[in-house]
Coordinates of all heavy atoms in Angstrom, one line a residue:
M3 N 10.4 -68.5 -64.8 CA 10.8 -69.9 -65.1 C 9.7 -70.5 -66.0 O 8.6 -70.2 -65.9 CB 10.9 -70.7 -63.8 CG 11.8 -71.9 -63.9 SD 12.1 -72.6 -62.3 CE 10.7 -73.7 -62.2
K4 N 10.2 -71.3 -67.0 CA 9.2 -71.9 -67.9 C 8.5 -73.1 -67.3 O 9.1 -73.7 -66.3 CB 10.0 -72.5 -69.1 CG 10.5 -71.5 -70.1 CD 11.1 -72.2 -71.3 CE 12.0 -71.4 -72.2 NZ 12.7 -72.2 -73.1
P5 N 7.3 -73.4 -67.7 CA 6.7 -74.6 -67.2 C 7.5 -75.8 -67.5 O 8.2 -75.9 -68.5 CB 5.3 -74.6 -68.0 CG 5.2 -73.4 -68.6 CD 6.6 -72.8 -68.8
Q6 N 7.4 -76.8 -66.6 CA 8.1 -78.1 -66.9 C 7.1 -79.0 -67.7 O 6.0 -79.2 -67.3 CB 8.4 -78.8 -65.6 CG 9.6 -78.0 -64.8 CD 10.1 -78.8 -63.7 OE1 9.4 -79.7 -63.2 NE2 11.3 -78.6 -63.3
L7 N 7.7 -79.6 -68.8 CA 6.8 -80.3 -69.7 C 7.2 -81.8 -69.7 O 8.4 -82.1 -69.7 CB 6.9 -79.7 -71.1 CG 6.7 -78.2 -71.2 CD1 6.9 -77.8 -72.7 CD2 5.2 -77.9 -70.8
A8 N 6.2 -82.6 -69.9 CA 6.5 -84.0 -70.1 C 5.4 -84.6 -71.0 O 4.2 -84.3 -70.8 CB 6.5 -84.9 -68.8
L9 N 5.8 -85.3 -72.1 CA 4.8 -85.8 -73.0 C 4.6 -87.3 -72.8 O 5.6 -88.1 -72.9 CB 5.3 -85.6 -74.5 CG 4.4 -86.1 -75.5 CD1 3.1 -85.2 -75.6 CD2 5.1 -86.2 -76.9
Y10 N 3.4 -87.7 -72.4 CA 3.0 -89.1 -72.4 C 2.6 -89.6 -73.7 O 1.9 -88.9 -74.5 CB 1.8 -89.3 -71.4 CG 2.3 -89.0 -70.0 CD1 2.4 -87.8 -69.4 CD2 2.5 -90.1 -69.1 CE1 2.8 -87.6 -68.1 CE2 2.9 -89.9 -67.8 CZ 3.0 -88.7 -67.3 OH 3.5 -88.5 -66.0
Y11 N 3.2 -90.7 -74.1 CA 3.0 -91.2 -75.5 C 3.0 -92.7 -75.6 O 3.4 -93.3 -74.6 CB 4.0 -90.6 -76.5 CG 5.4 -91.3 -76.3 CD1 5.7 -92.3 -77.3 CD2 6.2 -91.1 -75.2 CE1 6.9 -92.9 -77.1 CE2 7.4 -91.8 -75.1 CZ 7.7 -92.7 -76.0 OH 8.9 -93.4 -75.9
S12 N 2.5 -93.2 -76.7 CA 2.6 -94.6 -77.0 C 3.3 -94.7 -78.4 O 3.0 -93.9 -79.3 CB 1.3 -95.3 -77.0 OG 1.3 -96.5 -77.7
K13 N 4.2 -95.7 -78.5 CA 4.9 -95.9 -79.7 C 4.0 -96.2 -80.9 O 4.4 -95.9 -82.0 CB 5.8 -97.1 -79.4 CG 7.0 -97.3 -80.4 CD 7.9 -98.4 -79.7 CE 8.8 -99.0 -80.8 NZ 9.5 -100.1 -80.2
Y14 N 2.9 -96.8 -80.6 CA 2.0 -97.3 -81.7 C 0.9 -96.3 -82.1 O 0.0 -96.7 -82.8 CB 1.5 -98.7 -81.4 CG 2.6 -99.6 -81.0 CD1 2.9 -100.0 -79.7 CD2 3.5 -100.1 -82.1 CE1 3.9 -100.8 -79.4 CE2 4.5 -100.9 -81.8 CZ 4.8 -101.3 -80.4 OH 5.8 -102.1 -80.1
C15 N 0.9 -95.1 -81.5 CA -0.2 -94.2 -81.7 C 0.1 -93.2 -82.8 O 1.1 -92.4 -82.6 CB -0.5 -93.5 -80.3 SG -1.5 -92.1 -80.4
Y16 N -0.8 -93.1 -83.7 CA -0.6 -92.2 -84.8 C -0.6 -90.7 -84.3 O 0.3 -89.9 -84.8 CB -1.8 -92.3 -85.9 CG -1.9 -91.1 -86.8 CD1 -1.1 -91.0 -87.9 CD2 -2.8 -90.1 -86.5 CE1 -1.2 -89.9 -88.7 CE2 -3.0 -89.0 -87.4 CZ -2.1 -88.9 -88.4 OH -2.2 -87.8 -89.2
F17 N -1.4 -90.3 -83.4 CA -1.5 -89.0 -82.9 C -0.2 -88.6 -82.1 O 0.2 -87.5 -82.2 CB -2.8 -88.8 -82.0 CG -4.0 -89.1 -82.8 CD1 -4.7 -90.3 -82.7 CD2 -4.6 -88.1 -83.6 CE1 -5.8 -90.6 -83.4 CE2 -5.7 -88.4 -84.4 CZ -6.4 -89.6 -84.2
C18 N 0.3 -89.6 -81.5 CA 1.6 -89.4 -80.8 C 2.7 -89.1 -81.8 O 3.6 -88.3 -81.6 CB 2.0 -90.6 -79.9 SG 0.7 -90.9 -78.7
Q19 N 2.7 -90.0 -82.8 CA 3.8 -89.8 -83.9 C 3.7 -88.4 -84.5 O 4.7 -87.8 -84.8 CB 3.6 -90.8 -85.0 CG 4.0 -92.3 -84.5 CD 5.4 -92.3 -83.9 OE1 6.3 -91.7 -84.4 NE2 5.5 -93.1 -82.9
K20 N 2.5 -87.9 -84.6 CA 2.3 -86.5 -85.2 C 3.0 -85.5 -84.3 O 3.7 -84.6 -84.8 CB 0.8 -86.3 -85.3 CG 0.4 -85.1 -86.1 CD -1.1 -85.0 -86.2 CE -1.8 -84.4 -85.0 NZ -3.3 -84.2 -85.2
V21 N 2.8 -85.6 -83.0 CA 3.4 -84.7 -82.0 C 5.0 -84.9 -82.0 O 5.7 -83.9 -82.0 CB 2.8 -84.9 -80.6 CG1 3.6 -84.0 -79.6 CG2 1.4 -84.5 -80.6
L22 N 5.4 -86.2 -82.0 CA 6.8 -86.5 -82.0 C 7.5 -86.0 -83.2 O 8.7 -85.4 -83.2 CB 7.1 -88.0 -81.8 CG 6.6 -88.6 -80.5 CD1 6.6 -90.1 -80.5 CD2 7.5 -88.0 -79.3
T23 N 6.9 -86.1 -84.4 CA 7.5 -85.6 -85.7 C 7.6 -84.1 -85.6 O 8.6 -83.5 -86.0 CB 6.6 -86.0 -86.8 OG1 6.5 -87.4 -86.9 CG2 7.1 -85.5 -88.2
F24 N 6.5 -83.4 -85.0 CA 6.6 -82.0 -84.8 C 7.8 -81.6 -84.0 O 8.5 -80.6 -84.3 CB 5.2 -81.5 -84.2 CG 5.3 -80.1 -83.7 CD1 5.1 -79.0 -84.6 CD2 5.6 -79.8 -82.4 CE1 5.2 -77.7 -84.1 CE2 5.7 -78.5 -81.9 CZ 5.4 -77.5 -82.8
L25 N 8.0 -82.3 -82.9 CA 9.1 -82.0 -82.0 C 10.4 -82.1 -82.7 O 11.4 -81.3 -82.5 CB 9.1 -82.9 -80.8 CG 7.9 -82.8 -79.8 CD1 8.0 -83.8 -78.7 CD2 8.0 -81.4 -79.2
Q26 N 10.5 -83.2 -83.5 CA 11.8 -83.5 -84.3 C 12.0 -82.3 -85.2 O 13.1 -81.8 -85.3 CB 11.6 -84.7 -85.1 CG 12.5 -85.8 -84.7 CD 12.3 -87.1 -85.5 OE1 11.4 -87.1 -86.4 NE2 13.0 -88.1 -85.2
H27 N 11.0 -81.9 -86.0 CA 11.2 -80.8 -86.9 C 11.6 -79.5 -86.2 O 12.3 -78.7 -86.8 CB 9.9 -80.6 -87.8 CG 9.7 -81.7 -88.8 ND1 8.5 -82.0 -89.3 CD2 10.6 -82.5 -89.4 CE1 8.6 -82.9 -90.2 NE2 9.9 -83.3 -90.2
K28 N 11.0 -79.3 -85.1 CA 11.3 -78.1 -84.3 C 12.7 -78.2 -83.5 O 13.1 -77.3 -82.9 CB 10.2 -77.8 -83.3 CG 9.0 -77.2 -83.9 CD 9.1 -75.7 -83.9 CE 7.9 -75.0 -84.4 NZ 8.0 -73.5 -84.4
D29 N 13.2 -79.4 -83.6 CA 14.4 -79.7 -82.8 C 14.2 -79.4 -81.3 O 15.1 -78.8 -80.7 CB 15.6 -79.0 -83.4 CG 16.9 -79.6 -83.0 OD1 16.9 -80.8 -82.6 OD2 18.0 -78.9 -83.1
M30 N 13.1 -79.8 -80.8 CA 12.7 -79.5 -79.5 C 12.8 -80.7 -78.6 O 12.4 -81.8 -79.0 CB 11.2 -79.0 -79.5 CG 10.7 -78.3 -78.3 SD 9.0 -77.9 -78.5 CE 9.1 -76.4 -79.5
Q31 N 13.5 -80.5 -77.5 CA 13.8 -81.7 -76.5 C 12.7 -81.6 -75.5 O 12.4 -80.5 -74.9 CB 15.1 -81.6 -75.9 CG 16.3 -81.3 -76.8 CD 16.7 -82.5 -77.5 OE1 16.7 -83.6 -77.0 NE2 17.1 -82.4 -78.8
L32 N 12.1 -82.7 -75.2 CA 11.0 -82.7 -74.2 C 11.2 -84.0 -73.4 O 11.6 -85.0 -74.0 CB 9.7 -82.7 -75.0 CG 8.5 -82.1 -74.3 CD1 8.7 -80.6 -74.3 CD2 7.3 -82.5 -75.1
E33 N 10.8 -84.1 -72.2 CA 10.8 -85.3 -71.5 C 9.7 -86.2 -72.0 O 8.6 -85.8 -72.1 CB 10.7 -85.1 -70.0 CG 10.8 -86.4 -69.2 CD 10.5 -86.3 -67.7 OE1 10.7 -85.2 -67.2 OE2 10.2 -87.3 -67.2
L34 N 10.1 -87.4 -72.4 CA 9.1 -88.3 -73.0 C 8.8 -89.5 -72.1 O 9.7 -90.1 -71.5 CB 9.6 -88.9 -74.4 CG 9.9 -87.9 -75.4 CD1 10.5 -88.6 -76.7 CD2 8.7 -87.1 -75.8
R35 N 7.6 -89.7 -71.8 CA 7.2 -90.8 -70.9 C 6.3 -91.8 -71.6 O 5.1 -91.5 -71.9 CB 6.4 -90.2 -69.7 CG 7.3 -89.3 -68.9 CD 6.6 -88.7 -67.7 NE 7.5 -87.8 -66.9 CZ 7.1 -87.0 -66.0 NH1 5.8 -87.0 -65.6 NH2 7.9 -86.2 -65.3
S36 N 6.8 -92.9 -71.9 CA 6.1 -94.0 -72.7 C 5.1 -94.6 -71.7 O 5.4 -95.0 -70.5 CB 7.0 -95.0 -73.2 OG 6.3 -96.1 -73.6
T37 N 3.8 -94.8 -72.2 CA 2.8 -95.4 -71.3 C 3.0 -96.9 -71.3 O 2.2 -97.6 -70.6 CB 1.4 -95.0 -71.7 OG1 1.2 -95.3 -73.1 CG2 1.1 -93.6 -71.4
S38 N 4.0 -97.5 -72.0 CA 4.3 -98.9 -71.8 C 5.0 -99.1 -70.5 O 5.2 -100.2 -70.1 CB 5.1 -99.4 -73.0 OG 6.3 -98.8 -73.1
V39 N 5.5 -98.0 -69.9 CA 6.0 -98.1 -68.5 C 4.9 -98.0 -67.6 O 4.2 -97.0 -67.6 CB 7.1 -97.0 -68.3 CG1 7.6 -97.0 -66.9 CG2 8.2 -97.1 -69.3
P40 N 4.6 -99.0 -66.8 CA 3.4 -99.0 -65.9 C 3.2 -97.8 -65.0 O 2.2 -97.2 -64.9 CB 3.5 -100.3 -65.1 CG 4.3 -101.2 -66.0 CD 5.3 -100.3 -66.7
E41 N 4.4 -97.3 -64.5 CA 4.3 -96.2 -63.6 C 3.9 -94.9 -64.3 O 3.2 -94.0 -63.8 CB 5.5 -96.0 -62.8 CG 6.7 -95.5 -63.6 CD 8.0 -95.6 -62.8 OE1 8.5 -96.7 -62.4 OE2 8.6 -94.5 -62.5
H42 N 4.2 -94.8 -65.6 CA 3.8 -93.6 -66.4 C 2.3 -93.7 -66.7 O 1.6 -92.7 -66.7 CB 4.7 -93.5 -67.7 CG 6.1 -93.2 -67.4 ND1 7.1 -93.4 -68.3 CD2 6.7 -92.6 -66.3 CE1 8.2 -92.9 -67.8 NE2 8.0 -92.5 -66.6
A43 N 1.9 -94.9 -67.1 CA 0.5 -95.1 -67.4 C -0.4 -94.8 -66.2 O -1.4 -94.1 -66.3 CB 0.2 -96.6 -67.9
Q44 N 0.1 -95.2 -65.0 CA -0.7 -95.0 -63.8 C -0.7 -93.5 -63.4 O -1.7 -93.0 -63.0 CB 0.0 -95.8 -62.6 CG -0.3 -97.3 -62.7 CD 0.6 -98.1 -61.9 OE1 1.4 -97.6 -61.1 NE2 0.7 -99.4 -62.2
A45 N 0.5 -92.8 -63.6 CA 0.5 -91.4 -63.3 C -0.4 -90.6 -64.3 O -1.1 -89.6 -63.8 CB 2.0 -90.9 -63.5
L46 N -0.5 -91.0 -65.5 CA -1.3 -90.3 -66.5 C -2.8 -90.5 -66.1 O -3.5 -89.5 -66.0 CB -1.1 -90.9 -67.9 CG -2.0 -90.4 -69.0 CD1 -1.8 -88.9 -69.2 CD2 -1.7 -91.2 -70.3
M47 N -3.2 -91.7 -65.7 CA -4.6 -92.0 -65.3 C -4.9 -91.2 -64.0 O -5.9 -90.6 -63.9 CB -4.7 -93.5 -65.1 CG -6.1 -93.9 -64.7 SD -7.3 -93.5 -66.1 CE -8.8 -93.5 -65.3
A48 N -4.0 -91.2 -63.1 CA -4.2 -90.6 -61.8 C -4.2 -89.1 -61.9 O -5.1 -88.4 -61.3 CB -3.1 -91.0 -60.8
G49 N -3.4 -88.5 -62.7 CA -3.3 -87.1 -62.9 C -4.3 -86.5 -63.9 O -5.0 -85.5 -63.6
G50 N -4.3 -87.1 -65.0 CA -5.2 -86.5 -66.1 C -6.6 -87.1 -66.2 O -7.5 -86.5 -66.7
G51 N -6.8 -88.3 -65.6 CA -8.1 -88.9 -65.5 C -8.5 -89.8 -66.6 O -9.5 -90.4 -66.6
K52 N -7.6 -89.9 -67.6 CA -7.8 -91.0 -68.6 C -6.5 -91.4 -69.2 O -5.5 -90.7 -69.1 CB -8.8 -90.5 -69.8 CG -8.5 -89.1 -70.3 CD -9.6 -88.7 -71.3 CE -9.3 -87.3 -71.9 NZ -10.3 -86.9 -72.8
T53 N -6.5 -92.6 -69.9 CA -5.3 -93.2 -70.4 C -4.9 -92.7 -71.8 O -3.9 -93.1 -72.4 CB -5.4 -94.7 -70.4 OG1 -6.6 -95.0 -71.1 CG2 -5.5 -95.3 -69.0
Q54 N -5.8 -91.9 -72.4 CA -5.5 -91.4 -73.8 C -4.2 -90.7 -73.9 O -3.8 -89.9 -73.1 CB -6.7 -90.4 -74.2 CG -6.6 -90.0 -75.6 CD -7.7 -89.0 -75.9 OE1 -8.9 -89.4 -75.8 NE2 -7.4 -87.8 -76.3
V55 N -3.5 -91.1 -75.1 CA -2.3 -90.4 -75.5 C -2.4 -89.8 -76.9 O -3.3 -90.3 -77.6 CB -1.1 -91.4 -75.4 CG1 -0.6 -91.7 -74.0 CG2 -1.4 -92.7 -76.2
P56 N -1.7 -88.8 -77.2 CA -0.7 -88.1 -76.4 C -1.3 -87.2 -75.4 O -2.5 -86.8 -75.5 CB 0.1 -87.3 -77.4 CG -1.0 -86.9 -78.5 CD -1.9 -88.2 -78.5
C57 N -0.5 -87.0 -74.3 CA -1.0 -86.0 -73.3 C 0.3 -85.3 -72.8 O 1.3 -85.9 -72.5 CB -1.6 -86.8 -72.1 SG -2.1 -85.6 -70.8
L58 N 0.2 -84.0 -72.8 CA 1.3 -83.1 -72.4 C 1.0 -82.7 -70.9 O -0.1 -82.1 -70.6 CB 1.4 -81.9 -73.3 CG 2.6 -81.0 -72.9 CD1 3.9 -81.7 -73.2 CD2 2.5 -79.7 -73.8
R59 N 1.9 -83.1 -70.1 CA 1.8 -82.7 -68.6 C 2.6 -81.3 -68.5 O 3.8 -81.3 -68.8 CB 2.4 -83.7 -67.7 CG 2.3 -83.3 -66.2 CD 3.0 -84.4 -65.4 NE 2.8 -84.2 -64.0 CZ 3.5 -83.3 -63.2 NH1 4.5 -82.7 -63.8 NH2 3.3 -83.2 -61.9
I60 N 1.8 -80.3 -68.1 CA 2.4 -79.0 -68.0 C 2.4 -78.6 -66.5 O 1.3 -78.4 -65.9 CB 1.6 -77.9 -68.8 CG1 1.4 -78.4 -70.2 CG2 2.2 -76.6 -68.7 CD1 0.4 -77.6 -71.0
E61 N 3.6 -78.5 -65.9 CA 3.7 -78.1 -64.5 C 4.1 -76.6 -64.5 O 5.3 -76.3 -64.8 CB 4.6 -79.0 -63.8 CG 4.7 -78.6 -62.3 CD 5.4 -79.7 -61.5 OE1 5.8 -80.7 -62.0 OE2 5.7 -79.3 -60.3
H62 N 3.2 -75.8 -64.0 CA 3.5 -74.3 -64.0 C 4.3 -74.0 -62.8 O 4.4 -74.8 -61.8 CB 2.2 -73.5 -64.0 CG 1.4 -73.7 -65.2 ND1 1.6 -73.0 -66.4 CD2 0.3 -74.6 -65.5 CE1 0.7 -73.4 -67.3 NE2 -0.1 -74.3 -66.8
E63 N 5.0 -72.8 -62.8 CA 5.8 -72.4 -61.7 C 5.1 -72.4 -60.4 O 5.7 -72.6 -59.4 CB 6.3 -71.0 -62.1 CG 7.6 -70.6 -61.4 CD 8.0 -69.2 -61.8 OE1 7.4 -68.6 -62.7 OE2 8.8 -68.6 -61.1
S64 N 3.8 -72.1 -60.5 CA 3.0 -72.0 -59.3 C 2.8 -73.4 -58.7 O 2.3 -73.5 -57.5 CB 1.6 -71.4 -59.6 OG 0.9 -72.3 -60.5
G65 N 3.1 -74.4 -59.4 CA 2.9 -75.8 -58.9 C 1.6 -76.4 -59.5 O 1.4 -77.6 -59.4
E66 N 0.8 -75.6 -60.1 CA -0.4 -76.1 -60.8 C 0.0 -77.0 -61.9 O 0.9 -76.7 -62.7 CB -1.2 -74.9 -61.3 CG -2.5 -75.3 -61.9 CD -3.1 -74.3 -62.9 OE1 -2.6 -73.1 -62.9 OE2 -3.9 -74.7 -63.7
V67 N -0.7 -78.1 -62.1 CA -0.4 -79.1 -63.2 C -1.6 -79.1 -64.1 O -2.7 -79.3 -63.7 CB -0.1 -80.5 -62.6 CG1 0.1 -81.4 -63.7 CG2 1.1 -80.4 -61.7
E68 N -1.3 -79.0 -65.4 CA -2.3 -79.1 -66.4 C -2.0 -80.3 -67.3 O -0.9 -80.6 -67.6 CB -2.2 -77.8 -67.3 CG -3.3 -77.4 -68.2 CD -2.9 -76.2 -68.9 OE1 -2.1 -75.3 -68.5 OE2 -3.4 -76.0 -70.0
W69 N -3.1 -81.0 -67.7 CA -3.0 -82.2 -68.5 C -3.7 -81.9 -69.9 O -4.9 -81.8 -69.9 CB -3.6 -83.4 -67.8 CG -2.9 -83.8 -66.6 CD1 -3.1 -83.2 -65.3 CD2 -1.9 -84.8 -66.3 NE1 -2.4 -83.7 -64.4 CE2 -1.6 -84.7 -64.9 CE3 -1.2 -85.7 -67.1 CZ2 -0.6 -85.5 -64.3 CZ3 -0.3 -86.5 -66.5 CH2 0.0 -86.4 -65.2
M70 N -2.9 -81.8 -70.9 CA -3.4 -81.4 -72.2 C -3.4 -82.7 -73.1 O -2.4 -83.2 -73.4 CB -2.5 -80.3 -72.8 CG -3.1 -79.7 -74.1 SD -2.0 -78.4 -74.7 CE -2.4 -77.1 -73.6
Y71 N -4.7 -83.0 -73.6 CA -4.8 -84.3 -74.2 C -4.8 -84.3 -75.8 O -4.4 -85.3 -76.4 CB -6.1 -85.0 -73.7 CG -5.9 -85.8 -72.5 CD1 -6.3 -85.3 -71.2 CD2 -5.4 -87.1 -72.6 CE1 -6.1 -86.0 -70.1 CE2 -5.2 -87.9 -71.4 CZ -5.6 -87.3 -70.2 OH -5.4 -88.1 -69.1
E72 N -5.3 -83.3 -76.4 CA -5.5 -83.3 -77.8 C -4.2 -83.0 -78.6 O -3.5 -82.0 -78.3 CB -6.5 -82.3 -78.3 CG -8.0 -82.8 -77.9 CD -8.4 -84.1 -78.6 OE1 -8.1 -84.2 -79.8 OE2 -9.0 -84.9 -77.9
S73 N -3.8 -83.8 -79.6 CA -2.5 -83.6 -80.3 C -2.5 -82.2 -80.9 O -1.4 -81.6 -80.9 CB -2.3 -84.8 -81.3 OG -3.4 -84.8 -82.2
D74 N -3.6 -81.8 -81.5 CA -3.5 -80.4 -82.2 C -3.4 -79.4 -81.1 O -2.6 -78.4 -81.4 CB -4.9 -80.2 -82.9 CG -5.0 -81.0 -84.2 OD1 -3.9 -81.5 -84.7 OD2 -6.1 -81.2 -84.7
D75 N -4.0 -79.5 -80.0 CA -3.8 -78.5 -78.9 C -2.3 -78.5 -78.4 O -1.8 -77.4 -78.1 CB -4.7 -78.8 -77.7 CG -6.2 -78.6 -78.0 OD1 -6.5 -78.0 -79.1 OD2 -7.0 -79.1 -77.2
I76 N -1.7 -79.7 -78.3 CA -0.4 -79.9 -77.8 C 0.6 -79.1 -78.8 O 1.4 -78.4 -78.5 CB 0.0 -81.4 -77.7 CG1 -0.8 -82.0 -76.5 CG2 1.5 -81.5 -77.4 CD1 -0.7 -83.5 -76.5
I77 N 0.4 -79.4 -80.1 CA 1.2 -78.8 -81.1 C 1.0 -77.3 -81.2 O 2.0 -76.5 -81.2 CB 0.9 -79.4 -82.6 CG1 1.4 -80.8 -82.6 CG2 1.5 -78.6 -83.7 CD1 1.0 -81.6 -83.8
R78 N -0.2 -76.8 -81.0 CA -0.5 -75.4 -81.0 C 0.2 -74.8 -79.8 O 0.9 -73.7 -79.8 CB -2.0 -75.1 -80.9 CG -2.4 -73.8 -81.3 CD -3.9 -73.6 -81.4 NE -4.5 -74.5 -82.2 CZ -5.5 -75.4 -81.8 NH1 -5.8 -75.5 -80.5 NH2 -6.0 -76.3 -82.7
Y79 N 0.1 -75.4 -78.6 CA 0.8 -74.9 -77.4 C 2.3 -74.8 -77.5 O 2.9 -73.8 -77.1 CB 0.4 -75.8 -76.2 CG 1.1 -75.5 -74.9 CD1 0.6 -74.5 -74.1 CD2 2.2 -76.1 -74.5 CE1 1.2 -74.1 -72.9 CE2 2.9 -75.8 -73.3 CZ 2.4 -74.8 -72.5 OH 3.0 -74.4 -71.4
L80 N 2.9 -75.8 -78.2 CA 4.4 -75.8 -78.3 C 4.9 -75.0 -79.5 O 6.1 -74.8 -79.6 CB 4.8 -77.3 -78.5 CG 4.6 -78.2 -77.3 CD1 4.9 -79.6 -77.7 CD2 5.4 -77.8 -76.1
S81 N 4.0 -74.5 -80.3 CA 4.4 -73.7 -81.5 C 4.9 -72.3 -81.2 O 4.4 -71.7 -80.2 CB 3.3 -73.6 -82.5 OG 2.9 -74.9 -83.0
Ligands
GSH106 N1 -8.2 -86.7 -80.8 C1 -7.1 -87.3 -80.0 C2 -7.1 -88.8 -80.3 C3 -6.1 -89.5 -79.4 C4 -6.3 -91.0 -79.5 O1 -7.3 -91.5 -80.1 N2 -5.4 -91.8 -78.9 C5 -5.6 -93.2 -78.8 C6 -4.3 -93.9 -79.3 S1 -3.9 -93.6 -81.0 C7 -5.7 -93.6 -77.3 O2 -5.0 -93.1 -76.5 N3 -6.7 -94.6 -77.0 C8 -6.7 -95.2 -75.7 C9 -7.5 -94.4 -74.8 O3 -8.2 -93.4 -75.2 O4 -7.4 -94.7 -73.6 C10 -5.8 -86.6 -80.4 O5 -5.7 -86.0 -81.5 O6 -4.8 -86.6 -79.6

């Protein structure tokens, strides 16, 4: 089974737009979680430890959860 992915993002963030444009070009569907929704912002802080976006939440089959913060790392991971 593939890891379950969710991208935390903000509409006004250049680095988020970079990742979102990459997803569009790849025609890749991903669950998007805007941090303008308070529960998403809280989950990001609680899980990843900081409010920085973009952040890719990767839930592995084992149940282990990884929080990937850097836009270049996220794009590399999804490539
Ligand atoms: N080097 C990071 C920069 C990300 C970044 O600076 N994000 C800003 C928004 S554009 C942010 O989340 N700032 C608020 C914070 O760090 O809590 C990347 O490429 O993803």
